Structure formats: structure tokens, C-alpha cells
Amino acid sequence: MKLQLFVICVISVFCVSYATDTCYSSVKSVCSSTGSSLPLKCNSKYGAFDNEDIMKNVQQYTQDHILKSFHYLLMSSYFGNYEANREGFEKLFRELSDDAWEKSIDLIKFITKRGGHMQFNKITNTENAYDSEKIFEFEKHELGSMAKALELQKNLARGANNIHKKILNTENHDSEVASYIENNFVHKHSDSIRKLSGYTNDLHQLISSDDASLSLYLFDEYLKNTV
């Protein structure tokens, strides 16, 4: 134990730091103490992640991706059953579900990289909460499900823009976090929204024709072969 304290003290001597630095101050406290119970406050948290409000927003955004991933998965499962039998819709919503899930994992990795941690039990999500018993009242229809997917993607895009705005307008300005949100979410959500809006409008025009059943079948085949 004495050897460990000696090593910490030696490292602190050669570190170039300010006296007000939290890590450096904690190291000095350990070196000047005869006990070993004092914790080292050395982590990778800095910049925007020093702001607890921004940290909570990123955690909330991560949970939004997880919830929407399950939402898309339910929609995919419905259209993949033997009654609906819409393989194209099933494939599209499964892709959206997988993408939201992968982004949530990437967000958690980024949070831990920047010295934070994910706390699911301290996050409330009343805005995006939904009743699982009523989820398919309208979404079980092809056009309704496409419109709902577009709405979910727009909600995620708004979340990314809100985080980006707060980072730019806070004293804890952080170029890396802003760049991460912009490159991995803002631009990609824009592309996804454009694609889903096109699908929704095309589908609306097709089912307005005289032979809506054939149009739905052909549109589903198109999704199956292009998504």
C-alpha cells in the first residue's frame, strides 16, 4: 500500500497541471494523507459533459433511440406475420429498428468515452411514452405505419438539434460533442426523413388509385427489393 501511494506521489510531481484541477487536487490529497480511502477524481469528463443538463439530454436521447427501436420492431413484427404478409414493410421497419438500436449502443460508448455513464433509472420519458395496447390502432395500416415512422424519425432529429443547440449556446462549448451529434445524427436523420416522406407521399397516391390492393402489393415488392 505504501508503494502504491509513493508511485502516485511520484506521478503527480511530474504532471503539468494547475492547482485548481480536480484530478490534480485529489492526487495531492492522497499524497498528503496517511490513509488510502481518498478517491482519485481522475476521469475523462470535460467540456460539455461537465454540464449535467447536457449529460442528461444525451442520456435521454440514448433512451429515445432504444424505445423507438422497439417501436419499429413491433411494427416490423406485425407486417411480418402471416395475416399482413408485407415483407417489404417488415424489412423497412426492421432496418429502422436495427439502426436505432445500433445508434443507442454507439451513444452509450460515446458517453463512457467522455467520462459519463448511462443511468436509465433516472431518466423520465413522458413525451415519447406510448400505450403498448394502443400502438397499432392506426399503425397497422400501411400508410399509417409509414406516417408514424416518419414522425418517429422527426422526433429523433429534433432531439439531435436540441442537443447541438445547447452545446453551442453554453459556456461549456465542446467542438467534439457538437461534431459527433452533427455527423452521426443530424445529417443522417435528414436523409432518413427525406426517404420516409417520399415513401409516404408515393404510397398515398398509389392507394388513391382504382386498384389499391395491387398498388399496395407492388409497393411492398418495391420495398422488399430496394431497402
Side-chain angles (χ1 to χ4, degrees):
M1 189 61 65
K2 291 182 179 179
L3 178 60
Q4 292 177 345
L5 291 174
F6 174 76
V7 171
I8 294 175
C9 292
V10 171
I11 293 175
S12 66
V13 170
F14 289 97
C15 288
V16 179
S17 178
Y18 293 100
T20 56
D21 185 84
T22 303
C23 176
Y24 181 64
S25 300
S26 67
V27 169
K28 290 199 302 180
S29 298
V30 171
C31 292
S32 60
S33 174
T34 56
S36 59
S37 60
L38 295 176
L40 285 180
K41 299 179 180 179
C42 301
N43 54 52
S44 58
K45 186 184 294 185
Y46 69 96
F49 276 29
D50 281 332
N51 187 316
E52 290 299 324
D53 184 49
I54 292 179
M55 170 72 79
K56 186 175 181 180
N57 288 151
V58 177
Q59 291 171 335
Q60 177 71 67
Y61 191 55
T62 304
Q63 180 164 289
D64 288 345
H65 274 81
I66 295 175
L67 290 175
K68 286 175 174 58
S69 174
F70 282 104
H71 199 146
Y72 284 131
L73 185 61
L74 287 172
M75 294 166 67
S76 175
S77 299
Y78 174 80
F79 285 104
N81 65 30
Y82 72 96
E83 292 181 344
N85 192 27
R86 297 294 188 193
E87 296 182 37
F89 284 84
E90 176 193 14
K91 186 178 179 182
L92 172 64
F93 296 140
R94 178 61 65 92
E95 182 183 79
L96 291 171
S97 175
D98 291 343
D99 182 67
W101 181 261
E102 291 172 1
K103 281 185 168 59
S104 68
I105 299 299
D106 190 65
L107 277 163
I108 293 174
K109 290 180 179 179
F110 184 76
I111 290 172
T112 56
K113 169 191 170 184
R114 291 298 304 268
H117 56 280
M118 189 66 192
Q119 292 182 318
F120 296 98
N121 59 332
K122 293 186 178 181
I123 300 176
T124 58
N125 195 359
T126 55
E127 179 182 354
N128 297 312
Y130 55 83
D131 186 350
S132 60
E133 297 296 329
K134 299 180 180 179
I135 189 172
F136 291 127
E137 284 185 354
F138 185 66
E139 297 159 38
K140 63 183 179 181
H141 302 291
E142 290 83 355
L143 181 60
S145 66
M146 198 67 74
K148 185 61 179 181
L150 176 60
E151 177 186 332
L152 294 175
Q153 287 300 112
K154 285 185 177 181
N155 287 339
L156 289 176
R158 292 189 191 99
N161 287 331
N162 288 337
I163 294 174
H164 193 270
K165 179 181 179 180
K166 286 186 177 181
I167 294 172
L168 295 180
N169 294 338
T170 182
E171 60 181 8
N172 300 99
H173 175 68
D174 194 315
S175 299
E176 196 219 4
V177 179
S179 176
Y180 171 75
I181 295 296
E182 184 175 347
N183 293 328
N184 292 279
F185 298 95
V186 175
H187 296 308
K188 292 184 179 180
H189 284 321
S190 176
D191 295 336
S192 180
I193 289 171
R194 175 65 186 88
K195 180 174 68 175
L196 288 173
S197 65
Y199 287 160
T200 305
N201 284 283
D202 290 343
L203 183 59
H204 177 260
Q205 293 181 12
L206 288 171
I207 63 176
S208 299
S209 62
D210 294 334
D211 198 344
S213 297
L214 178 60
S215 298
L216 275 174
Y217 172 78
L218 293 175
F219 186 81
D220 183 68
E221 288 293 308
Y222 169 77
L223 291 178
K224 184 172 68 173
N225 295 323
T226 58
V227 172

